């Protein structure tokens, strides 16, 4: 694995001990449906295995699970609205925990409400393999985004459980809190704190549009856990997800293996104008905050072309005050989202855009304040794990594609402390974050099968590239 997996092991001992006490359970021996060649290793020093493709997930069960989850927060047009730490989020979490318990996972909930279900391995002193995603959604979002990765991971563990398969390493299924960031910004809230990229107290104090505080809402739904929200050693991490774009469908591929995730830069812009009655106030001399915002928003739309491409820029949120048809707007807030594979390029683009904004602000007589809300560097994934996704797809006969993820994912933050890769399946019409979001059921099954193969291969590797056991006590179980 990469050097990313060797983070501060001395500092992590306290966390490891807490996991050991919390999850303490002796591993039992169960039969395997694949043959481990325990004394044979490849050039990288990892155990070699015979084919695991005899084992497959239950596609019908996966579909039923996703359909049951889609009822929670379901919308009339076939989507879902399951905003983070809402009553719908609580219902989805409760159902997930129920299903985890049915396959005897040991469950821990951390300080950010992240849920971890642990499937015991033969040697629980080894760093675990992890998978998962999120159950929260966008407002009027889709029924596959995020939840597919959690239910796909659950289906993998159900398959192992019913076949009495005990891998060498433990396997963790994670549900990360507030991946979407639509109610409480920024996105990837839970995984960001877990990775050490976001401060816990800062995250607790985030407010939504109605002034509600994140930590209060987390406590209200009963998912503010006591387990420390700090990362631990992870041997390999795979996140299963819909593509949320058109490439796989257009190119006739079933499996996507992104080389990484673009950088994500979020900005908030606040403009002040001068309110007045619209009829008697001449056009000359007005200080219309909404007109100033409109000019700025068009600059955002033209930014990628101006910079020469290889980026996207979007305004996705706007608030206009007092929002009355016969009052000149005096306050406007809007957001800017810039994404690129090149972090410095994205920052240069923002600086160029900011110069345009300042000129418009002066011309319109509308003072401006800007905030850099969130910056996540681009996340290149572990090449060996990415190749394993492609190899596993080939073994199954699924056509695959190397690509880049334009959407943000919890994998971006997990990647900062653990070797990571993602598995994509096609989005019909390239649509996502909308009610009509859809993916073929056979593609959902295919993605889960690739996840199964990748997880088993990783969970049966008997050593780490850069370190051996860091404790004689179980890490997670």
């Amino acid at each position: 694995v990469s050097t990313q997996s060797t983070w501060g092991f001395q500092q992590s001992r306290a966390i490891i001990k807490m996991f050991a006490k919390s999850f303490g359970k002796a591993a039992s021996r169960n039969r395997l449906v694949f043959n481990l060649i325990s004394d044979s290793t490849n050039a990288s020093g990892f155990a070699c295995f015979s084919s695991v493709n005899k084992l497959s997930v239950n596609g019908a069960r996966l579909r039923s699970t996703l359909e049951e989850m889609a009822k929670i927060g379901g919308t009339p047009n076939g989507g879902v609205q399951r905003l983070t730490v809402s009553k719908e989020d609580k219902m989805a979490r409760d159902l997930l925990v129920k299903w985890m318990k049915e396959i005897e996972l040991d469950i821990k909930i951390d300080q950010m409400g992240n849920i971890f279900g642990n499937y015991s391995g033969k040697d629980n002193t080894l760093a675990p393999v992890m998978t998962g995603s999120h159950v929260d959604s966008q407002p009027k979002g889709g029924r596959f985004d995020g939840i597919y990765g959690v239910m796909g991971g659950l289906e993998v563990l159900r398959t192992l459980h019913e076949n009495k398969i005990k891998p060498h390493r433990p396997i963790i299924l994670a549900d990360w809190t507030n991946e979407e960031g639509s109610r409480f910004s920024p996105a990837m809230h839970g995984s960001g704190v877990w990775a050490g990229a976001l401060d816990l107290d800062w995250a607790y104090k985030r407010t939504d549009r109605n002034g509600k505080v994140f930590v209060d809402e987390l406590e209200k739904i009963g998912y503010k856990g006591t387990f420390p929200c700090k990362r631990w050693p992870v041997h390999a991490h795979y996140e299963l997800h819909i593509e949320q774009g058109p490439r796989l469908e257009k190119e006739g591929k079933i499996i996507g293996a992104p080389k990484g995730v673009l950088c994500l830069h979020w900005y908030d812009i606040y403009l002040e104008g001068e309110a007045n009655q619209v009829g008697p106030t001449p056009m000359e001399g007005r200080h219309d905050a909404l007109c100033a915002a409109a000019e700025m928003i068009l600059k955002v739309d033209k930014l990628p072309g101006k910079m020469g491409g290889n980026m996207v820029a979007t305004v996705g949120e706007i608030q206009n005050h007092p929002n009355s048809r016969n009052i000149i707007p005096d306050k406007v807030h809007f957001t800017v989202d810039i994404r690129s594979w090149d972090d410095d390029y994205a920052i240069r683009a923002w600086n160029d855009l900011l110069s345009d904004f300042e000129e418009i602000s002066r011309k319109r007589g509308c003072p401006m304040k800007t905030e850099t809300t969130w910056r996540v560097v681009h996340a290149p994934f572990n090449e060996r794990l990415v190749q394993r996704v492609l190899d596993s797809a080939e073994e199954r006969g699924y056509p695959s594609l190397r690509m880049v993820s334009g959407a943000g994912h919890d994998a971006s933050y997990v990647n900062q402390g653990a070797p990571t890769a993602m598995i994509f399946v096609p989005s019909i019409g390239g649509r996502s974050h909308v009610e009509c979001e859809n993916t073929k059921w056979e593609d959902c099954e295919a993605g889960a099968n690739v996840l199964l193969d990748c997880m088993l291969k990783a969970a049966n590797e008997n050593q780490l590239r850069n370190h051996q056991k860091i404790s004689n006590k179980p890490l997670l179980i």
Side-chain angles (χ1 to χ4, degrees):
V1 191
S2 75
T3 55
Q4 296 177 31
S5 62
T6 61
W7 60 274
F9 289 108
Q10 295 299 325
Q11 297 179 1
S12 68
R13 288 185 183 277
I15 300 173
I16 293 165
K17 289 178 181 179
M18 293 185 71
F19 266 116
K21 291 178 181 178
S22 301
F23 284 123
K25 183 185 288 185
S28 61
R29 290 189 173 273
N30 290 310
R31 65 181 180 84
L32 300 177
V33 300
F34 55 91
N35 298 315
L36 168 63
I37 307 174
S38 58
D39 295 327
S40 178
T41 59
N42 60 24
S44 300
F46 288 93
C48 299
F49 302 92
S50 60
S51 172
V52 297
N53 290 348
K54 300 173 188 176
L55 191 68
S56 294
V57 301
N58 184 327
R61 180 171 59 196
L62 175 59
R63 174 176 178 172
S64 175
T65 302
L66 283 165
E67 289 179 331
E68 187 67 23
M69 270 291 182
K71 296 176 183 177
I72 301 175
T75 63
N77 293 321
V80 296
Q81 181 157 312
R82 207 162 44 228
L83 301 182
T84 192
V85 294
S86 64
K87 64 178 181 180
E88 292 82 11
D89 186 16
K90 171 179 168 52
M91 292 169 64
R93 288 165 174 264
D94 289 347
L95 183 56
L96 172 62
V97 168
K98 173 179 177 291
W99 285 338
M100 284 179 164
K101 289 179 178 178
E102 288 175 357
I103 55 172
E104 303 175 281
L105 301 190
D106 288 310
I107 299 165
K108 295 304 292 182
I109 301 166
D110 74 12
Q111 296 161 302
M112 277 295 293
N114 298 319
I115 301 172
F116 302 104
N118 188 78
Y119 185 86
S120 177
K122 284 184 174 180
D123 186 349
N124 297 313
T125 66
L126 293 176
V129 176
M130 187 158 67
T131 190
S133 197
H134 58 98
V135 306
D136 69 312
S137 81
Q138 288 284 333
K140 294 187 178 179
R143 58 199 176 109
F144 293 92
D145 177 16
I147 194 66
Y148 169 56
V150 181
M151 296 300 99
L154 178 68
E155 177 55 35
V156 165
L157 295 182
R158 281 173 163 173
T159 301
L160 299 184
H161 181 263
E162 69 185 3
N163 286 281
K164 298 181 172 60
I165 294 174
K166 180 78 70 175
H168 194 51
R169 297 172 178 276
I171 297 175
I172 304 296
L173 173 60
D175 166 35
W176 300 104
T177 296
N178 189 28
E179 190 273 351
E180 295 292 358
S182 57
R183 182 181 178 193
F184 296 95
S185 68
M188 295 133 59
H189 217 169
S191 58
V193 174
W194 180 87
L198 301 177
D199 178 72
L200 177 65
D201 289 335
W202 178 85
Y204 276 169
K205 294 173 183 176
R206 303 302 290 171
T207 57
D208 66 10
R209 294 181 191 175
N210 298 315
K212 294 185 177 180
V213 181
F214 172 78
V215 67
D216 295 338
E217 298 301 289
L218 184 63
E219 287 181 327
K220 188 182 297 183
I221 67 167
Y223 276 89
K224 182 176 180 285
T226 57
F227 195 81
C229 187
K230 295 182 179 180
R231 66 185 180 186
W232 58 83
V234 173
H235 178 66
H237 169 253
Y238 291 93
E239 182 173 355
L240 178 64
H241 211 281
I242 58 171
E243 180 196 351
Q244 300 184 283
R247 281 200 68 191
L248 291 176
E249 185 180 56
K250 284 185 176 180
E251 300 197 26
K253 308 298 185 182
I254 295 176
I255 299 297
K259 70 175 184 178
V261 178
L262 303 180
C263 72
L264 290 86
H265 296 179
W266 283 9
Y267 304 94
D268 283 80
I269 291 81
Y270 300 88
L271 290 165
E272 288 193 13
E274 184 177 81
N276 214 338
Q277 222 275 17
V278 299
T281 308
M283 298 302 294
E284 299 80 9
R286 287 189 179 195
H287 303 294
D288 188 325
L290 185 56
C291 285
E295 283 194 59
M296 293 177 182
I297 290 168
L298 290 176
K299 293 290 186 182
V300 175
D301 183 59
K302 294 175 181 177
L303 180 66
K306 180 181 180 181
M307 296 296 295
N310 296 318
M311 71 164 45
V312 293
T314 309
V315 173
E317 184 179 342
I318 184 169
Q319 285 96 42
N320 177 56
H321 302 278
N323 210 34
S324 172
R325 67 178 63 206
N326 60 357
I327 302 177
I328 297 169
D330 65 346
K331 287 184 175 63
V332 172
H333 163 237
F334 68 93
T335 62
V336 175
D337 180 315
I338 298 175
R339 306 185 187 200
S340 173
W341 185 254
D342 186 329
D343 303 80
D344 292 335
Y345 181 54
I347 291 173
R348 289 198 304 272
W350 165 247
N351 290 333
D352 185 275
L353 186 65
L354 186 57
S355 295
D356 288 340
F357 283 4
E358 289 170 345
E359 181 182 348
I360 294 167
S361 172
R362 286 193 297 270
K363 181 182 69 175
R364 289 278 181 179
C366 295
M368 176 182 67
K369 182 182 76 171
T370 64
E371 292 179 357
T372 301
T373 306
W374 190 46
R375 280 181 178 166
V376 182
V377 297
H378 84 284
F381 290 152
N382 182 279
E383 177 55 32
R384 194 176 68 88
L385 270 61
V386 173
Q387 187 59 48
R388 175 176 284 163
V389 173
L390 295 167
D391 292 344
S392 297
E394 183 178 8
E395 291 165 6
R396 292 271 181 179
Y398 302 142
S400 61
L401 179 71
R402 280 185 177 270
M403 56 192 306
V404 173
S405 173
H409 300 287
D410 291 305
S412 295
Y413 276 138
V414 179
N415 184 67
Q416 295 182 14
T420 293
M422 293 191 73
I423 302 164
F424 281 175
V425 294
S427 296
I428 296 175
R431 303 292 303 279
S432 184
H433 281 188
V434 290
E435 292 172 289
C436 64
E437 175 184 280
N438 203 4
T439 290
K440 295 178 182 176
W441 293 115
E442 56 266 34
D443 291 345
C444 289
E445 181 177 355
N449 275 327
V450 171
L451 178 65
L452 170 66
D453 294 350
C454 289
M455 297 293 285
L456 275 178
K457 290 171 184 175
N460 284 300
E461 290 173 333
N462 57 15
Q463 62 182 356
L464 295 179
R465 193 183 293 268
N466 294 305
H467 65 276
Q468 300 294 325
K469 298 177 183 179
I470 64 173
S471 171
N472 288 325
K473 295 182 179 181
L475 286 172
L476 292 172
I477 308 173

